[in-house]
Amino acid sequence: TYQIELENINKYYGGYHALRDISLGIEPGEFVALVGPSGCGKSTLLRTIAGLEGISGGTLRIAGETVNDRAPRERDLAMVFQSYALYPHMTVRRNLTYSMRLKRRSKADMERSVEEIARITGLESLLDRYPRELSGGQRQRVAMGRAIIREPKAFLFDEPLSNLDAALRVHMRSEVRQLHNRLNATSVYVTHDQIEAMTMADRVVVMRAGVVEQMGAPLDLYDRP
Ligand code: ADP
Ligand code: ADP
């Protein structure tokens, strides 16, 4: 479990100043939600942590090491998106092991990992199904399983539940949070849904127009007029 530190992060898209001097420390094991109106820079911030987006200034540290110039695959983070990005022609099992195959892990080793991930994500009975044979929540669990199987240092979630219907969304909130706890992970979770942020996060960071406007524990923010 790892600390993520942002120090004076700035990001320009051409002349547009999308992230303005953002400083933020995320503690090992913490679950932080990033909220704010559309266009305020939530995704951009998440993508800079992932290394999918370069920064124009500032320092980004993961587990104490500066990663500004590291490629995404060298940052040991797992992203979970709202589009599940599963391979439709592969079973759940193959979807889970695909990235391990590329890493040339032994067959026995992969089997062990798949069983463990299936247990954690509740996919034991679904390993031989294809994505089209799964519900939205089950697909999202496969997507999370694929992220976990990489044994990442931290999770970056970009509105992972926004494609699900309301009831499932509420259920998956607690599933994601339980997963975070069980793995003792560090998580950054982008959502435009304030209730989601309040119910899931240890700390809520509110962004507006490229700056951090306020942050605090859900109840502290909630009590504020
Ligand atoms: P949010 O995730 O909070 O909705 P984004 O991080 O996606 O916001 O976008 C922040 C701002 O940066 C928006 O004004 C958006 O239009 C702009 N932006 C995002 N990506 C790009 C890009 N690739 N090129 C130019 N502007 C961008
Ligand atoms: P593919 O992207 O074709 O499925 P891999 O799963 O091996 O192949 O991913 C290739 C690279 O893409 C990885 O080394 C990693 O850097 C990045 N990547 C893939 N999935 C994720 C993820 N969930 N989170 C973060 N990075 C990922």
Side-chain angles (χ1 to χ4, degrees):
T1 183
Y2 294 92
Q3 188 179 35
I4 300 172
E5 296 164 276
L6 310 174
E7 210 177 278
N8 303 110
I9 298 294
N10 282 280
K11 169 71 182 173
Y12 288 88
Y13 289 117
Y16 181 73
H17 202 172
L19 297 177
R20 301 166 174 252
D21 242 6
I22 296 206
S23 293
L24 178 64
I26 298 162
E27 298 306 316
E30 200 179 17
F31 193 115
V32 168
L34 280 182
V35 302
S38 180
C40 70
K42 304 182 293 295
S43 279
T44 299
L45 189 58
L46 201 71
R47 292 165 59 81
T48 61
I49 296 172
L52 300 173
E53 204 77 78
I55 51 178
S56 316
T59 307
L60 176 63
R61 275 185 228 98
I62 298 173
E65 291 179 44
T66 300
V67 299
N68 284 27
D69 298 323
R70 281 198 206 166
R73 73 174 64 84
E74 291 160 354
R75 296 186 184 199
D76 289 334
L77 303 164
M79 298 263 316
V80 184
F81 301 95
Q82 65 176 275
S83 53
Y84 317 111
L86 303 181
Y87 299 107
H89 58 288
M90 291 184 193
T91 61
V92 169
R93 184 188 300 279
R94 293 271 322 226
N95 265 286
L96 290 174
T97 55
Y98 182 77
S99 65
M100 280 196 288
R101 273 166 208 282
L102 300 182
K103 286 188 187 164
R104 299 171 185 279
R105 302 247 310 253
S106 78
K107 211 169 170 197
D109 191 19
M110 289 201 299
E111 258 324 296
R112 253 196 315 278
S113 295
V114 167
E115 301 307 326
E116 189 188 342
I117 299 297
R119 203 169 53 243
I120 292 172
T121 51
L123 293 167
E124 291 108 318
S125 61
L126 304 172
L127 286 172
D128 295 317
R129 293 213 196 162
Y130 287 88
R132 66 171 178 278
E133 300 170 323
L134 301 176
S135 71
Q138 290 166 341
R139 283 182 208 162
Q140 191 53 267
R141 277 191 245 151
V142 180
M144 283 190 274
R146 284 215 321 203
I148 299 166
I149 217 161
R150 316 176 69 87
E151 300 175 1
K153 290 177 176 171
F155 288 100
L156 306 176
F157 295 97
D158 197 354
E159 308 228 9
L161 307 183
S162 53
N163 281 340
L164 306 178
D165 66 49
L168 191 54
R169 205 156 59 224
V170 169
H171 173 68
M172 291 298 291
R173 282 178 195 160
S174 62
E175 287 211 3
V176 172
R177 180 60 217 228
Q178 281 169 29
L179 198 60
H180 163 96
N181 293 354
R182 218 174 304 149
L183 298 171
N184 195 21
T186 303
S187 297
V188 186
Y189 189 101
V190 166
T191 177
H192 63 268
D193 184 338
Q194 289 217 14
I195 307 285
E196 193 162 289
M198 298 284 184
T199 52
M200 293 178 75
D202 300 316
R203 189 152 53 113
V204 179
V205 173
V206 185
M207 290 182 68
R208 184 177 300 274
V211 301
V212 170
E213 194 177 57
Q214 53 174 329
M215 63 176 124
L219 280 177
D220 295 342
L221 288 180
Y222 209 60
D223 282 338
R224 214 161 286 179

